[in-house]
């Protein structure tokens, strides 16, 4: 029986890259030693995601948003209190863009 990696090596490679990018975003946030440092890192990644949307780089946008929505990141309550409200609103808007609801309808509308 042929394994999926043997049948579609390029697809597996793309999936691994996506996972690495999301993990890198989360890891960078978690590497901050203080809540303020982590909040600044989250803000920076939200700005990166906004630029990805601006330039229609939806693959990277999805990867950054996925990294910021990991449960380990979402549990940082004190850190999220420090993140400016407009950044949290922007992240919520970006989540809507990459939402899989209605077969990526919002992402298609952006394009």
């Amino acid at each position: 029986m042929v394994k999926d990696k043997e049948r579609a090596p390029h697809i597996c490679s793309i999936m691994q890259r996506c996972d690495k990018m999301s993990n890198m975003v989360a890891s960078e946030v978690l590497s901050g030693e203080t809540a303020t440092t982590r909040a600044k890192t989250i803000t920076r990644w939200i700005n990166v995601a906004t630029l990805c949307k601006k330039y229609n780089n939806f693959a990277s946008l999805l990867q950054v948003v996925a990294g910021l929505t990991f449960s380990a990141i979402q549990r940082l309550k004190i850190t999220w209190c420090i993140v400016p409200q407009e950044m949290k609103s922007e992240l919520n808007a970006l989540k809507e863009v990459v939402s899989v609801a209605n077969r990526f309808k919002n992402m298609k509308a952006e394009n």
Side-chain angles (χ1 to χ4, degrees):
M1 186 159 160
V2 178
K3 293 184 179 179
D4 288 340
K5 286 185 179 183
E6 294 171 4
R7 264 199 255 166
H10 299 294
I11 299 294
C12 290
S13 175
I14 291 169
M15 290 170 41
Q16 287 174 347
R17 182 190 178 280
C18 181
D19 290 344
K20 285 180 181 178
M21 178 69 169
S22 296
N23 287 330
M24 182 193 72
V25 170
S27 178
E28 193 171 319
V29 171
L30 294 172
S31 69
E33 294 193 14
T34 65
T36 304
T37 304
R38 290 189 296 270
K40 286 179 183 178
T41 304
I42 288 171
T43 300
R44 185 168 12 105
W45 279 112
I46 293 170
N47 287 329
V48 168
T50 302
L51 287 173
C52 290
K53 178 185 167 204
K54 177 181 177 181
Y55 294 114
N56 294 327
N57 186 344
F58 294 109
S60 295
L61 170 60
L62 180 61
Q63 294 163 14
V64 172
V65 170
L68 290 172
T69 56
F70 278 5
S71 61
I73 305 301
Q74 293 298 303
R75 286 192 304 256
L76 300 170
K77 301 298 182 197
I78 295 170
T79 299
W80 282 104
C81 287
I82 299 170
V83 174
Q85 184 58 45
E86 61 269 10
M87 288 289 109
K88 290 188 262 190
S89 297
E90 180 66 21
L91 179 59
N92 287 331
L94 294 169
K95 286 181 194 176
E96 286 294 317
V97 171
V98 297
S99 170
V100 295
N102 300 318
R103 296 185 173 191
F104 294 100
K105 180 181 101 179
N106 295 332
M107 195 180 302
K108 291 174 186 173
E110 292 290 327
N111 224 354

